[in-house]
Amino acid sequence: MGNSLKAIVAFVPPNKCQKYLLEDQEEMPVDKMVDLSGRQLRRLPVHICSFRELVKLYLSDNNLNHLPPELEQLQNLQILALDFNNFKALPLVVCMLKQLCILYLGNNKLCSLPLELRLLQNLKTLWIESNCLQYLPEVVCELSLLKTLHAGSNALRTLPPQLQCLQELRTIWLSGNLLSEFPPVLLDMPFLEVIDVDRNSIRFFPSLAHFPGLKLVIYDHNPCRNAPKVAKGVRRVGRWSEETPEPRKRSGAVIEIPPDEKPLLPPAAKTEPE
């Protein structure tokens, strides 16, 4: 929404404003997707919950801090984007959407996650970056199909040992936290393909050469005394990365990362389930 339109909206009563902005969402979309991102919404229009065949719902970049109980009607929903809002707690109704594959919760004010999150057993991608988490909620370790976890820009100092139970996890983003050592539990997860611990306080890196499927390690901006040892062909981003077994670009160069591995994506370009 342009700045001029936002300025006009500021002088329109909220109810009339919302009706104007959502007048094109009165019927179930053919593509089974509703995108209400950046609409300055303070509440989700309840009539959206009547679209029972809805598969994707994007509510990014609004002013939401709660969701209506009617949301539970969307039992076919696979993608839900709630990032860039004002949630201090995850509404429990979200945990009732058992077909969810992708859940975006980044850039809110979450300090924890409810135990009911364990009900989302189809979840493959969870983004909880840029919140107020001082620890990784152990309930995350019960999401057995999880493949991608983005928990960057929180206040994490360690990871729970139960994380190794996530045998399907392939990508973990932990940049911008308070890790003082490389999380020991990750050493017991050799199936990982992407590890990002950029911008932490790690002083020493253990060898990661035993990770057979590792593709990328990002360890830049740590006060480390060494670079992590990796197997041949693994990309490293950080100090001394040019000393890897085979020639590669220096750490200051742009390194291409596949779209489904990038930690920062605009709301309009979010990944979808495989």
Side-chain angles (χ1 to χ4, degrees):
M1 183 188 299
N3 292 331
S4 58
L5 182 53
K6 287 183 179 180
I8 295 174
V9 165
F11 292 97
V12 180
N15 292 340
K16 292 183 179 180
C17 172
Q18 182 159 280
K19 183 177 180 181
Y20 170 75
L21 291 174
L22 302 179
E23 62 182 6
D24 59 341
Q25 298 289 350
E26 295 296 335
E27 297 181 359
M28 173 70 188
V30 176
D31 59 3
K32 299 182 180 181
M33 179 185 76
V34 169
D35 188 352
L36 299 178
S37 302
R39 301 292 187 97
Q40 304 296 302
L41 299 178
R42 295 185 179 277
R43 62 180 178 84
L44 176 65
V46 176
H47 77 272
I48 296 296
C49 301
S50 66
F51 302 160
R52 301 198 177 198
E53 299 302 314
L54 204 64
V55 174
K56 307 173 188 177
L57 178 58
Y58 295 92
L59 301 172
S60 307
D61 193 17
N62 282 294
N63 296 308
L64 300 172
N65 56 27
H66 69 281
L67 294 171
E70 290 85 354
L71 189 72
E72 187 177 356
Q73 299 177 37
L74 303 182
Q75 285 301 311
N76 291 299
L77 205 63
Q78 296 180 24
I79 301 176
L80 178 60
L82 299 174
D83 47 337
F84 293 93
N85 276 285
N86 294 316
F87 291 102
K88 293 183 179 180
L90 179 65
L92 293 183
V93 66
V94 172
C95 302
M96 301 297 108
L97 305 174
K98 297 182 181 180
Q99 296 304 313
L100 277 183
C101 297
I102 299 179
L103 179 58
Y104 297 103
L105 300 174
N107 290 273
N108 279 285
K109 302 173 182 177
L110 301 175
C111 294
S112 63
L113 293 173
L115 292 177
E116 289 80 357
L117 190 73
R118 62 165 64 105
L119 298 175
L120 301 182
Q121 285 301 308
N122 285 306
L123 206 62
K124 295 182 179 179
T125 299
L126 176 63
W127 288 37
I128 49 176
E129 80 285 1
S130 300
N131 275 286
C132 305
L133 299 171
Q134 296 184 13
Y135 62 93
L136 184 68
E138 292 185 6
V139 66
V140 172
C141 304
E142 298 185 43
L143 304 174
S144 60
L145 295 184
L146 201 64
K147 296 185 65 175
T148 299
L149 175 61
H150 185 359
S153 299
N154 280 285
L156 305 181
R157 296 180 181 275
T158 186
L159 297 179
Q162 296 90 331
L163 193 69
Q164 65 180 299
C165 295
L166 297 182
Q167 298 288 309
E168 298 299 319
L169 194 66
R170 296 295 180 266
T171 301
I172 185 165
W173 305 96
L174 299 167
S175 62
N177 277 288
L178 302 175
L179 300 173
S180 59
E181 65 173 345
F182 187 83
V185 66
L186 297 186
L187 297 176
D188 296 323
M189 303 176 69
F191 41 80
L192 288 172
E193 297 178 357
V194 177
I195 301 174
D196 177 12
V197 289
D198 182 33
R199 294 186 294 115
N200 278 278
S201 301
I202 301 172
R203 294 184 175 276
F204 175 79
F205 280 94
S207 173
L208 303 179
H210 64 291
F211 282 55
L214 194 61
K215 298 177 182 177
L216 172 65
V217 180
I218 304 175
Y219 66 96
D220 211 4
H221 304 101
N222 279 280
C224 53
R225 303 187 302 270
N226 69 309
K229 293 182 180 180
V230 294
K232 183 177 181 180
V234 178
R235 288 177 294 171
R236 299 188 304 182
V237 180
R239 296 177 65 190
W240 310 294
S241 62
E242 67 271 19
E243 297 176 9
T244 46
E246 59 185 31
R248 62 190 65 242
K249 297 179 181 178
R250 303 180 71 89
S251 60
V254 176
I255 295 181
E256 291 296 325
I257 302 174
D260 61 341
E261 296 177 357
K262 292 184 180 179
L264 297 177
L265 293 176
K270 291 190 172 70
T271 57
E272 299 186 6
E274 298 179 352

